[in-house]
Structure formats: structure tokens, C-alpha cells
PDB file of all heavy atoms in Angstrom:
ATOM      1  N   GLU A 197      18.519  -2.970 -23.223  1.00  0.00           N
ATOM      2  CA  GLU A 197      17.309  -3.753 -23.509  1.00  0.00           C
ATOM      3  C   GLU A 197      17.566  -5.246 -23.658  1.00  0.00           C
ATOM      4  O   GLU A 197      16.779  -6.065 -23.172  1.00  0.00           O
ATOM      5  CB  GLU A 197      16.618  -3.220 -24.774  1.00  0.00           C
ATOM      6  CG  GLU A 197      15.928  -1.881 -24.602  1.00  0.00           C
ATOM      7  CD  GLU A 197      16.840  -0.698 -24.889  1.00  0.00           C
ATOM      8  OE1 GLU A 197      18.069  -0.899 -25.067  1.00  0.00           O
ATOM      9  OE2 GLU A 197      16.345   0.440 -24.932  1.00  0.00           O
ATOM     10  N   TYR A 198      18.656  -5.610 -24.326  1.00  0.00           N
ATOM     11  CA  TYR A 198      18.875  -7.030 -24.601  1.00  0.00           C
ATOM     12  C   TYR A 198      19.308  -7.817 -23.358  1.00  0.00           C
ATOM     13  O   TYR A 198      19.426  -9.038 -23.400  1.00  0.00           O
ATOM     14  CB  TYR A 198      19.883  -7.212 -25.750  1.00  0.00           C
ATOM     15  CG  TYR A 198      21.339  -7.147 -25.348  1.00  0.00           C
ATOM     16  CD1 TYR A 198      22.076  -8.305 -25.148  1.00  0.00           C
ATOM     17  CD2 TYR A 198      21.979  -5.923 -25.171  1.00  0.00           C
ATOM     18  CE1 TYR A 198      23.417  -8.259 -24.770  1.00  0.00           C
ATOM     19  CE2 TYR A 198      23.306  -5.868 -24.800  1.00  0.00           C
ATOM     20  CZ  TYR A 198      24.015  -7.026 -24.605  1.00  0.00           C
ATOM     21  OH  TYR A 198      25.331  -6.985 -24.224  1.00  0.00           O
ATOM     22  N   MET A 199      19.501  -7.104 -22.240  1.00  0.00           N
ATOM     23  CA  MET A 199      19.828  -7.754 -20.969  1.00  0.00           C
ATOM     24  C   MET A 199      18.586  -8.017 -20.120  1.00  0.00           C
ATOM     25  O   MET A 199      18.683  -8.453 -18.973  1.00  0.00           O
ATOM     26  CB  MET A 199      20.808  -6.874 -20.169  1.00  0.00           C
ATOM     27  CG  MET A 199      22.107  -6.556 -20.895  1.00  0.00           C
ATOM     28  SD  MET A 199      23.140  -8.006 -21.153  1.00  0.00           S
ATOM     29  CE  MET A 199      23.759  -8.289 -19.505  1.00  0.00           C
ATOM     30  N   VAL A 200      17.417  -7.767 -20.679  1.00  0.00           N
ATOM     31  CA  VAL A 200      16.166  -7.846 -19.923  1.00  0.00           C
ATOM     32  C   VAL A 200      15.862  -9.259 -19.416  1.00  0.00           C
ATOM     33  O   VAL A 200      15.085  -9.429 -18.465  1.00  0.00           O
ATOM     34  CB  VAL A 200      14.992  -7.302 -20.776  1.00  0.00           C
ATOM     35  CG1 VAL A 200      14.622  -8.280 -21.888  1.00  0.00           C
ATOM     36  CG2 VAL A 200      13.778  -6.991 -19.919  1.00  0.00           C
ATOM     37  N   THR A 201      16.472 -10.281 -20.007  1.00  0.00           N
ATOM     38  CA  THR A 201      16.249 -11.663 -19.540  1.00  0.00           C
ATOM     39  C   THR A 201      16.626 -11.829 -18.073  1.00  0.00           C
ATOM     40  O   THR A 201      16.121 -12.726 -17.401  1.00  0.00           O
ATOM     41  CB  THR A 201      17.074 -12.662 -20.375  1.00  0.00           C
ATOM     42  OG1 THR A 201      18.448 -12.253 -20.351  1.00  0.00           O
ATOM     43  CG2 THR A 201      16.593 -12.729 -21.821  1.00  0.00           C
ATOM     44  N   LEU A 202      17.508 -10.969 -17.565  1.00  0.00           N
ATOM     45  CA  LEU A 202      17.953 -11.084 -16.174  1.00  0.00           C
ATOM     46  C   LEU A 202      16.838 -10.772 -15.183  1.00  0.00           C
ATOM     47  O   LEU A 202      16.927 -11.138 -14.004  1.00  0.00           O
ATOM     48  CB  LEU A 202      19.153 -10.165 -15.923  1.00  0.00           C
ATOM     49  CG  LEU A 202      20.423 -10.504 -16.719  1.00  0.00           C
ATOM     50  CD1 LEU A 202      21.504  -9.465 -16.472  1.00  0.00           C
ATOM     51  CD2 LEU A 202      20.928 -11.898 -16.361  1.00  0.00           C
ATOM     52  N   VAL A 203      15.789 -10.106 -15.660  1.00  0.00           N
ATOM     53  CA  VAL A 203      14.653  -9.811 -14.784  1.00  0.00           C
ATOM     54  C   VAL A 203      14.014 -11.111 -14.296  1.00  0.00           C
ATOM     55  O   VAL A 203      13.370 -11.146 -13.242  1.00  0.00           O
ATOM     56  CB  VAL A 203      13.634  -8.891 -15.504  1.00  0.00           C
ATOM     57  CG1 VAL A 203      12.375  -8.687 -14.668  1.00  0.00           C
ATOM     58  CG2 VAL A 203      14.282  -7.530 -15.790  1.00  0.00           C
ATOM     59  N   ASP A 204      14.221 -12.206 -15.027  1.00  0.00           N
ATOM     60  CA  ASP A 204      13.750 -13.523 -14.565  1.00  0.00           C
ATOM     61  C   ASP A 204      14.286 -13.844 -13.170  1.00  0.00           C
ATOM     62  O   ASP A 204      13.634 -14.537 -12.388  1.00  0.00           O
ATOM     63  CB  ASP A 204      14.208 -14.638 -15.521  1.00  0.00           C
ATOM     64  CG  ASP A 204      13.585 -14.537 -16.904  1.00  0.00           C
ATOM     65  OD1 ASP A 204      12.737 -13.646 -17.123  1.00  0.00           O
ATOM     66  OD2 ASP A 204      13.960 -15.353 -17.775  1.00  0.00           O
ATOM     67  N   LEU A 205      15.486 -13.352 -12.869  1.00  0.00           N
ATOM     68  CA  LEU A 205      16.099 -13.619 -11.566  1.00  0.00           C
ATOM     69  C   LEU A 205      15.322 -12.932 -10.447  1.00  0.00           C
ATOM     70  O   LEU A 205      15.264 -13.431  -9.319  1.00  0.00           O
ATOM     71  CB  LEU A 205      17.557 -13.153 -11.545  1.00  0.00           C
ATOM     72  CG  LEU A 205      18.527 -13.969 -12.407  1.00  0.00           C
ATOM     73  CD1 LEU A 205      19.861 -13.251 -12.541  1.00  0.00           C
ATOM     74  CD2 LEU A 205      18.727 -15.355 -11.800  1.00  0.00           C
ATOM     75  N   TYR A 206      14.732 -11.783 -10.760  1.00  0.00           N
ATOM     76  CA  TYR A 206      13.880 -11.131  -9.768  1.00  0.00           C
ATOM     77  C   TYR A 206      12.587 -11.926  -9.601  1.00  0.00           C
ATOM     78  O   TYR A 206      12.135 -12.181  -8.479  1.00  0.00           O
ATOM     79  CB  TYR A 206      13.552  -9.688 -10.150  1.00  0.00           C
ATOM     80  CG  TYR A 206      12.554  -9.097  -9.185  1.00  0.00           C
ATOM     81  CD1 TYR A 206      12.967  -8.628  -7.941  1.00  0.00           C
ATOM     82  CD2 TYR A 206      11.198  -9.076  -9.474  1.00  0.00           C
ATOM     83  CE1 TYR A 206      12.048  -8.151  -7.009  1.00  0.00           C
ATOM     84  CE2 TYR A 206      10.268  -8.600  -8.555  1.00  0.00           C
ATOM     85  CZ  TYR A 206      10.708  -8.136  -7.331  1.00  0.00           C
ATOM     86  OH  TYR A 206       9.796  -7.688  -6.412  1.00  0.00           O
ATOM     87  N   GLU A 207      12.008 -12.314 -10.714  1.00  0.00           N
ATOM     88  CA  GLU A 207      10.716 -12.994 -10.656  1.00  0.00           C
ATOM     89  C   GLU A 207      10.812 -14.349  -9.952  1.00  0.00           C
ATOM     90  O   GLU A 207       9.883 -14.757  -9.266  1.00  0.00           O
ATOM     91  CB  GLU A 207      10.144 -13.139 -12.067  1.00  0.00           C
ATOM     92  CG  GLU A 207       9.797 -11.776 -12.678  1.00  0.00           C
ATOM     93  CD  GLU A 207       9.318 -11.845 -14.110  1.00  0.00           C
ATOM     94  OE1 GLU A 207       9.547 -12.878 -14.769  1.00  0.00           O
ATOM     95  OE2 GLU A 207       8.722 -10.862 -14.570  1.00  0.00           O
ATOM     96  N   LYS A 208      11.947 -15.014 -10.081  1.00  0.00           N
ATOM     97  CA  LYS A 208      12.104 -16.331  -9.461  1.00  0.00           C
ATOM     98  C   LYS A 208      12.685 -16.268  -8.051  1.00  0.00           C
ATOM     99  O   LYS A 208      12.270 -17.003  -7.152  1.00  0.00           O
ATOM    100  CB  LYS A 208      12.982 -17.231 -10.337  1.00  0.00           C
ATOM    101  CG  LYS A 208      13.057 -18.656  -9.807  1.00  0.00           C
ATOM    102  CD  LYS A 208      13.673 -19.612 -10.811  1.00  0.00           C
ATOM    103  CE  LYS A 208      13.635 -21.038 -10.278  1.00  0.00           C
ATOM    104  NZ  LYS A 208      14.219 -22.002 -11.223  1.00  0.00           N
ATOM    105  N   HIS A 209      13.671 -15.395  -7.843  1.00  0.00           N
ATOM    106  CA  HIS A 209      14.410 -15.381  -6.579  1.00  0.00           C
ATOM    107  C   HIS A 209      14.276 -14.070  -5.802  1.00  0.00           C
ATOM    108  O   HIS A 209      14.867 -13.928  -4.743  1.00  0.00           O
ATOM    109  CB  HIS A 209      15.901 -15.622  -6.834  1.00  0.00           C
ATOM    110  CG  HIS A 209      16.202 -16.891  -7.564  1.00  0.00           C
ATOM    111  ND1 HIS A 209      16.004 -18.133  -6.998  1.00  0.00           N
ATOM    112  CD2 HIS A 209      16.694 -17.120  -8.812  1.00  0.00           C
ATOM    113  CE1 HIS A 209      16.362 -19.075  -7.871  1.00  0.00           C
ATOM    114  NE2 HIS A 209      16.776 -18.481  -8.979  1.00  0.00           N
ATOM    115  N   LYS A 210      13.529 -13.106  -6.366  1.00  0.00           N
ATOM    116  CA  LYS A 210      13.416 -11.758  -5.773  1.00  0.00           C
ATOM    117  C   LYS A 210      14.779 -11.068  -5.662  1.00  0.00           C
ATOM    118  O   LYS A 210      15.011 -10.254  -4.764  1.00  0.00           O
ATOM    119  CB  LYS A 210      12.727 -11.814  -4.397  1.00  0.00           C
ATOM    120  CG  LYS A 210      11.245 -12.181  -4.501  1.00  0.00           C
ATOM    121  CD  LYS A 210      10.453 -11.097  -5.212  1.00  0.00           C
ATOM    122  CE  LYS A 210       8.972 -11.394  -5.347  1.00  0.00           C
ATOM    123  NZ  LYS A 210       8.663 -12.239  -6.514  1.00  0.00           N
ATOM    124  N   LEU A 211      15.682 -11.406  -6.586  1.00  0.00           N
ATOM    125  CA  LEU A 211      16.968 -10.710  -6.668  1.00  0.00           C
ATOM    126  C   LEU A 211      16.748  -9.371  -7.373  1.00  0.00           C
ATOM    127  O   LEU A 211      16.325  -9.352  -8.532  1.00  0.00           O
ATOM    128  CB  LEU A 211      17.965 -11.533  -7.492  1.00  0.00           C
ATOM    129  CG  LEU A 211      18.848 -12.552  -6.783  1.00  0.00           C
ATOM    130  CD1 LEU A 211      19.526 -13.444  -7.806  1.00  0.00           C
ATOM    131  CD2 LEU A 211      19.892 -11.853  -5.935  1.00  0.00           C
ATOM    132  N   PRO A 212      17.023  -8.250  -6.722  1.00  0.00           N
ATOM    133  CA  PRO A 212      16.860  -6.959  -7.403  1.00  0.00           C
ATOM    134  C   PRO A 212      17.828  -6.857  -8.592  1.00  0.00           C
ATOM    135  O   PRO A 212      18.968  -7.331  -8.508  1.00  0.00           O
ATOM    136  CB  PRO A 212      17.210  -5.927  -6.326  1.00  0.00           C
ATOM    137  CG  PRO A 212      17.185  -6.672  -5.029  1.00  0.00           C
ATOM    138  CD  PRO A 212      17.510  -8.093  -5.345  1.00  0.00           C
ATOM    139  N   ILE A 213      17.364  -6.252  -9.665  1.00  0.00           N
ATOM    140  CA  ILE A 213      18.171  -6.112 -10.883  1.00  0.00           C
ATOM    141  C   ILE A 213      18.285  -4.633 -11.248  1.00  0.00           C
ATOM    142  O   ILE A 213      17.289  -3.899 -11.203  1.00  0.00           O
ATOM    143  CB  ILE A 213      17.514  -6.866 -12.071  1.00  0.00           C
ATOM    144  CG1 ILE A 213      17.278  -8.349 -11.733  1.00  0.00           C
ATOM    145  CG2 ILE A 213      18.372  -6.721 -13.339  1.00  0.00           C
ATOM    146  CD1 ILE A 213      18.523  -9.160 -11.504  1.00  0.00           C
ATOM    147  N   ILE A 214      19.478  -4.211 -11.607  1.00  0.00           N
ATOM    148  CA  ILE A 214      19.697  -2.844 -12.083  1.00  0.00           C
ATOM    149  C   ILE A 214      20.212  -2.905 -13.516  1.00  0.00           C
ATOM    150  O   ILE A 214      21.238  -3.525 -13.796  1.00  0.00           O
ATOM    151  CB  ILE A 214      20.706  -2.085 -11.189  1.00  0.00           C
ATOM    152  CG1 ILE A 214      20.158  -1.968  -9.758  1.00  0.00           C
ATOM    153  CG2 ILE A 214      20.996  -0.699 -11.776  1.00  0.00           C
ATOM    154  CD1 ILE A 214      21.173  -1.446  -8.762  1.00  0.00           C
ATOM    155  N   LEU A 215      19.464  -2.290 -14.417  1.00  0.00           N
ATOM    156  CA  LEU A 215      19.870  -2.145 -15.812  1.00  0.00           C
ATOM    157  C   LEU A 215      20.220  -0.680 -16.035  1.00  0.00           C
ATOM    158  O   LEU A 215      19.581   0.207 -15.455  1.00  0.00           O
ATOM    159  CB  LEU A 215      18.726  -2.549 -16.752  1.00  0.00           C
ATOM    160  CG  LEU A 215      18.134  -3.956 -16.575  1.00  0.00           C
ATOM    161  CD1 LEU A 215      16.841  -4.085 -17.360  1.00  0.00           C
ATOM    162  CD2 LEU A 215      19.125  -5.014 -17.023  1.00  0.00           C
ATOM    163  N   TYR A 216      21.225  -0.411 -16.868  1.00  0.00           N
ATOM    164  CA  TYR A 216      21.496   0.989 -17.202  1.00  0.00           C
ATOM    165  C   TYR A 216      22.111   1.087 -18.583  1.00  0.00           C
ATOM    166  O   TYR A 216      22.654   0.106 -19.112  1.00  0.00           O
ATOM    167  CB  TYR A 216      22.389   1.647 -16.140  1.00  0.00           C
ATOM    168  CG  TYR A 216      23.861   1.275 -16.146  1.00  0.00           C
ATOM    169  CD1 TYR A 216      24.824   2.133 -16.684  1.00  0.00           C
ATOM    170  CD2 TYR A 216      24.309   0.088 -15.558  1.00  0.00           C
ATOM    171  CE1 TYR A 216      26.174   1.813 -16.663  1.00  0.00           C
ATOM    172  CE2 TYR A 216      25.653  -0.242 -15.522  1.00  0.00           C
ATOM    173  CZ  TYR A 216      26.585   0.626 -16.084  1.00  0.00           C
ATOM    174  OH  TYR A 216      27.923   0.301 -16.066  1.00  0.00           O
ATOM    175  N   ASP A 217      21.962   2.264 -19.162  1.00  0.00           N
ATOM    176  CA  ASP A 217      22.599   2.552 -20.452  1.00  0.00           C
ATOM    177  C   ASP A 217      23.905   3.277 -20.175  1.00  0.00           C
ATOM    178  O   ASP A 217      23.911   4.349 -19.547  1.00  0.00           O
ATOM    179  CB  ASP A 217      21.701   3.450 -21.323  1.00  0.00           C
ATOM    180  CG  ASP A 217      20.515   2.710 -21.910  1.00  0.00           C
ATOM    181  OD1 ASP A 217      20.599   1.482 -22.068  1.00  0.00           O
ATOM    182  OD2 ASP A 217      19.503   3.374 -22.223  1.00  0.00           O
ATOM    183  N   GLN A 218      25.007   2.702 -20.631  1.00  0.00           N
ATOM    184  CA  GLN A 218      26.293   3.374 -20.489  1.00  0.00           C
ATOM    185  C   GLN A 218      26.301   4.644 -21.342  1.00  0.00           C
ATOM    186  O   GLN A 218      25.581   4.741 -22.341  1.00  0.00           O
ATOM    187  CB  GLN A 218      27.415   2.432 -20.935  1.00  0.00           C
ATOM    188  CG  GLN A 218      27.538   1.179 -20.074  1.00  0.00           C
ATOM    189  CD  GLN A 218      28.239   0.027 -20.787  1.00  0.00           C
ATOM    190  OE1 GLN A 218      28.948   0.237 -21.766  1.00  0.00           O
ATOM    191  NE2 GLN A 218      28.030  -1.184 -20.305  1.00  0.00           N
ATOM    192  N   VAL A 219      27.101   5.613 -20.938  1.00  0.00           N
ATOM    193  CA  VAL A 219      27.187   6.843 -21.721  1.00  0.00           C
ATOM    194  C   VAL A 219      27.522   6.497 -23.173  1.00  0.00           C
ATOM    195  O   VAL A 219      28.260   5.551 -23.458  1.00  0.00           O
ATOM    196  CB  VAL A 219      28.236   7.836 -21.166  1.00  0.00           C
ATOM    197  CG1 VAL A 219      27.737   8.492 -19.908  1.00  0.00           C
ATOM    198  CG2 VAL A 219      29.576   7.182 -20.943  1.00  0.00           C
ATOM    199  N   GLY A 220      26.931   7.259 -24.070  1.00  0.00           N
ATOM    200  CA  GLY A 220      27.158   7.028 -25.489  1.00  0.00           C
ATOM    201  C   GLY A 220      26.054   6.249 -26.155  1.00  0.00           C
ATOM    202  O   GLY A 220      26.113   6.015 -27.365  1.00  0.00           O
ATOM    203  N   CYS A 221      25.026   5.844 -25.382  1.00  0.00           N
ATOM    204  CA  CYS A 221      23.959   5.075 -26.018  1.00  0.00           C
ATOM    205  C   CYS A 221      22.642   5.190 -25.261  1.00  0.00           C
ATOM    206  O   CYS A 221      22.600   5.646 -24.111  1.00  0.00           O
ATOM    207  CB  CYS A 221      24.338   3.607 -26.173  1.00  0.00           C
ATOM    208  SG  CYS A 221      24.274   2.642 -24.651  1.00  0.00           S
ATOM    209  N   GLY A 222      21.579   4.761 -25.919  1.00  0.00           N
ATOM    210  CA  GLY A 222      20.266   4.667 -25.295  1.00  0.00           C
ATOM    211  C   GLY A 222      19.785   5.978 -24.724  1.00  0.00           C
ATOM    212  O   GLY A 222      19.868   7.030 -25.347  1.00  0.00           O
ATOM    213  N   HIS A 223      19.299   5.900 -23.463  1.00  0.00           N
ATOM    214  CA  HIS A 223      18.725   7.072 -22.804  1.00  0.00           C
ATOM    215  C   HIS A 223      19.783   7.936 -22.126  1.00  0.00           C
ATOM    216  O   HIS A 223      19.454   8.994 -21.584  1.00  0.00           O
ATOM    217  CB  HIS A 223      17.703   6.627 -21.754  1.00  0.00           C
ATOM    218  CG  HIS A 223      16.589   5.787 -22.288  1.00  0.00           C
ATOM    219  ND1 HIS A 223      15.679   6.244 -23.221  1.00  0.00           N
ATOM    220  CD2 HIS A 223      16.228   4.505 -22.025  1.00  0.00           C
ATOM    221  CE1 HIS A 223      14.807   5.288 -23.496  1.00  0.00           C
ATOM    222  NE2 HIS A 223      15.132   4.213 -22.793  1.00  0.00           N
ATOM    223  N   SER A 224      21.020   7.477 -22.080  1.00  0.00           N
ATOM    224  CA  SER A 224      22.084   8.253 -21.434  1.00  0.00           C
ATOM    225  C   SER A 224      22.685   9.256 -22.426  1.00  0.00           C
ATOM    226  O   SER A 224      22.350   9.262 -23.616  1.00  0.00           O
ATOM    227  CB  SER A 224      23.157   7.312 -20.874  1.00  0.00           C
ATOM    228  OG  SER A 224      22.614   6.527 -19.820  1.00  0.00           O
ATOM    229  N   THR A 225      23.559  10.119 -21.922  1.00  0.00           N
ATOM    230  CA  THR A 225      24.138  11.181 -22.763  1.00  0.00           C
ATOM    231  C   THR A 225      24.991  10.599 -23.883  1.00  0.00           C
ATOM    232  O   THR A 225      25.800   9.693 -23.657  1.00  0.00           O
ATOM    233  CB  THR A 225      24.995  12.133 -21.899  1.00  0.00           C
ATOM    234  OG1 THR A 225      24.195  12.619 -20.816  1.00  0.00           O
ATOM    235  CG2 THR A 225      25.503  13.302 -22.725  1.00  0.00           C
ATOM    236  N   HIS A 226      24.794  11.134 -25.075  1.00  0.00           N
ATOM    237  CA  HIS A 226      25.569  10.716 -26.241  1.00  0.00           C
ATOM    238  C   HIS A 226      26.729  11.689 -26.477  1.00  0.00           C
ATOM    239  O   HIS A 226      26.641  12.869 -26.138  1.00  0.00           O
ATOM    240  CB  HIS A 226      24.672  10.648 -27.478  1.00  0.00           C
ATOM    241  CG  HIS A 226      23.695   9.510 -27.446  1.00  0.00           C
ATOM    242  ND1 HIS A 226      23.663   8.527 -28.407  1.00  0.00           N
ATOM    243  CD2 HIS A 226      22.720   9.188 -26.548  1.00  0.00           C
ATOM    244  CE1 HIS A 226      22.703   7.653 -28.116  1.00  0.00           C
ATOM    245  NE2 HIS A 226      22.124   8.038 -26.994  1.00  0.00           N
ATOM    246  N   PHE A 227      27.781  11.167 -27.084  1.00  0.00           N
ATOM    247  CA  PHE A 227      28.975  11.977 -27.351  1.00  0.00           C
ATOM    248  C   PHE A 227      29.465  11.737 -28.776  1.00  0.00           C
ATOM    249  O   PHE A 227      30.612  11.334 -28.985  1.00  0.00           O
ATOM    250  CB  PHE A 227      30.087  11.636 -26.348  1.00  0.00           C
ATOM    251  CG  PHE A 227      29.845  12.148 -24.961  1.00  0.00           C
ATOM    252  CD1 PHE A 227      29.254  11.337 -24.005  1.00  0.00           C
ATOM    253  CD2 PHE A 227      30.191  13.439 -24.611  1.00  0.00           C
ATOM    254  CE1 PHE A 227      29.023  11.791 -22.722  1.00  0.00           C
ATOM    255  CE2 PHE A 227      29.972  13.913 -23.330  1.00  0.00           C
ATOM    256  CZ  PHE A 227      29.383  13.095 -22.369  1.00  0.00           C
ATOM    257  N   GLN A 228      28.610  12.009 -29.737  1.00  0.00           N
ATOM    258  CA  GLN A 228      29.021  11.792 -31.130  1.00  0.00           C
ATOM    259  C   GLN A 228      30.176  12.706 -31.532  1.00  0.00           C
ATOM    260  O   GLN A 228      30.940  12.386 -32.447  1.00  0.00           O
ATOM    261  CB  GLN A 228      27.816  11.983 -32.055  1.00  0.00           C
ATOM    262  CG  GLN A 228      26.837  10.811 -31.952  1.00  0.00           C
ATOM    263  CD  GLN A 228      25.490  11.110 -32.575  1.00  0.00           C
ATOM    264  OE1 GLN A 228      24.820  12.078 -32.214  1.00  0.00           O
ATOM    265  NE2 GLN A 228      25.073  10.278 -33.513  1.00  0.00           N
ATOM    266  N   GLU A 229      30.308  13.813 -30.808  1.00  0.00           N
ATOM    267  CA  GLU A 229      31.426  14.727 -31.092  1.00  0.00           C
ATOM    268  C   GLU A 229      32.766  14.132 -30.664  1.00  0.00           C
ATOM    269  O   GLU A 229      33.826  14.660 -31.007  1.00  0.00           O
ATOM    270  CB  GLU A 229      31.196  16.084 -30.403  1.00  0.00           C
ATOM    271  CG  GLU A 229      31.288  16.069 -28.893  1.00  0.00           C
ATOM    272  CD  GLU A 229      29.976  15.700 -28.187  1.00  0.00           C
ATOM    273  OE1 GLU A 229      29.065  15.130 -28.853  1.00  0.00           O
ATOM    274  OE2 GLU A 229      29.877  15.987 -26.980  1.00  0.00           O
ATOM    275  N   LYS A 230      32.731  13.023 -29.937  1.00  0.00           N
ATOM    276  CA  LYS A 230      33.959  12.367 -29.472  1.00  0.00           C
ATOM    277  C   LYS A 230      34.339  11.169 -30.359  1.00  0.00           C
ATOM    278  O   LYS A 230      35.129  10.316 -29.938  1.00  0.00           O
ATOM    279  CB  LYS A 230      33.790  11.894 -28.029  1.00  0.00           C
ATOM    280  CG  LYS A 230      33.553  13.016 -27.014  1.00  0.00           C
ATOM    281  CD  LYS A 230      34.802  13.832 -26.779  1.00  0.00           C
ATOM    282  CE  LYS A 230      34.618  14.797 -25.614  1.00  0.00           C
ATOM    283  NZ  LYS A 230      35.842  15.631 -25.390  1.00  0.00           N
ATOM    284  N   ALA A 231      33.795  11.111 -31.558  1.00  0.00           N
ATOM    285  CA  ALA A 231      34.125  10.011 -32.478  1.00  0.00           C
ATOM    286  C   ALA A 231      35.628   9.949 -32.715  1.00  0.00           C
ATOM    287  O   ALA A 231      36.262  10.971 -33.043  1.00  0.00           O
ATOM    288  CB  ALA A 231      33.395  10.193 -33.803  1.00  0.00           C
ATOM    289  N   GLY A 232      36.205   8.787 -32.525  1.00  0.00           N
ATOM    290  CA  GLY A 232      37.641   8.599 -32.749  1.00  0.00           C
ATOM    291  C   GLY A 232      38.528   9.120 -31.638  1.00  0.00           C
ATOM    292  O   GLY A 232      39.755   9.002 -31.717  1.00  0.00           O
ATOM    293  N   ASP A 233      37.938   9.674 -30.585  1.00  0.00           N
ATOM    294  CA  ASP A 233      38.722  10.252 -29.494  1.00  0.00           C
ATOM    295  C   ASP A 233      39.047   9.161 -28.464  1.00  0.00           C
ATOM    296  O   ASP A 233      38.296   8.917 -27.519  1.00  0.00           O
ATOM    297  CB  ASP A 233      37.944  11.392 -28.843  1.00  0.00           C
ATOM    298  CG  ASP A 233      38.767  12.141 -27.789  1.00  0.00           C
ATOM    299  OD1 ASP A 233      39.852  11.634 -27.401  1.00  0.00           O
ATOM    300  OD2 ASP A 233      38.330  13.222 -27.337  1.00  0.00           O
TER     301      ASP A 233
END
């Protein structure tokens, strides 16, 4: 979410932007069972 400012690059230059949640956070798979691993 905090990278959303980059969408300005699409609005100004039509540069496509891809945002994603790395594993372990957000909408992607969480692995709390891997704490300290």
C-alpha cells in the first residue's frame, strides 16, 4: 500500500505499474509458523 505513489508514473507517463504483497504479509500467504526460521 505505501508504494501507491508510483501509480503517478502511470497517470503521467502511462508506465504500467505492478504492486504485490511479498509472502508473509498483506493479501499473500502468511507463514507465522515459520517465526525465527
Side-chain angles (χ1 to χ4, degrees):
E197 288 89 351
Y198 83 99
M199 302 293 286
V200 73
T201 54
L202 296 176
V203 174
D204 294 356
L205 290 168
Y206 174 79
E207 294 176 343
K208 186 168 184 180
H209 303 292
K210 291 294 180 276
L211 270 168
I213 304 295
I214 298 170
L215 304 168
Y216 75 102
D217 286 335
Q218 297 158 20
V219 286
C221 75
H223 302 297
S224 294
T225 306
H226 289 239
F227 287 95
Q228 287 166 304
E229 69 274 17
K230 297 288 189 181
D233 186 348

